[in-house]
Amino acid sequence: MAQANVLKLLLDYFPTAIDTGQCIVFISENWRVELREHQNPCFGQHGKNIPVIRVKVFKKALNGEFLQGHYEDFQIESVSELANQIERYVQHAVGQNIREN
């Protein structure tokens, strides 16, 4: 799996996502979720050539701005399993299915 193509491949799994050119974004009335490929080639690699995808979750504050809550790094070789685990993580974090918003 080539590093540069991981986010593009994930777009096939998440039809409601928006590609900004830098990351994939899911947005709803109260949440914003970003998927971004981690740029540090040594971070989390442990000798593997598997990209690290960082998932950041933002919640809308009362003033209308999105505030970053938490994030998680995923490093799974299979794109379908990567997409499945990201979907599960986000669904539990925000309480809704990102594939349907």
Side-chain angles (χ1 to χ4, degrees):
M1 172 170 59
Q3 283 187 321
N5 295 326
V6 176
L7 293 179
K8 298 285 185 204
L9 292 171
L10 285 172
L11 279 173
D12 293 338
Y13 289 89
F14 301 115
T16 60
I18 300 163
D19 183 359
T20 69
Q22 296 179 355
C23 65
I24 295 175
V25 177
F26 305 93
I27 194 158
S28 69
E29 187 175 323
N30 296 311
W31 299 97
R32 174 185 170 98
V33 177
E34 292 181 3
L35 278 62
R36 190 178 298 264
E37 187 172 338
H38 201 282
Q39 298 302 312
N40 184 345
C42 297
F43 177 79
Q45 297 291 321
H46 304 295
K48 300 176 185 174
N49 193 21
I50 302 170
V52 175
I53 302 299
R54 178 163 286 174
V55 179
K56 294 182 179 181
V57 178
F58 300 81
K59 183 172 173 104
K60 188 179 253 183
L62 292 176
N63 65 4
E65 292 184 31
F66 285 100
L67 304 175
Q68 182 175 336
H70 46 85
Y71 69 88
E72 191 66 46
D73 293 328
F74 290 81
Q75 188 177 24
I76 300 172
E77 190 169 8
S78 163
V79 176
S80 61
E81 183 60 23
L82 174 64
N84 181 46
Q85 292 303 316
I86 289 172
E87 181 177 13
R88 289 180 66 202
Y89 172 76
V90 172
Q91 189 169 358
H92 290 290
V94 304
Q96 60 192 54
N97 190 331
I98 59 176
R99 291 172 65 99
E100 297 174 358
N101 290 327

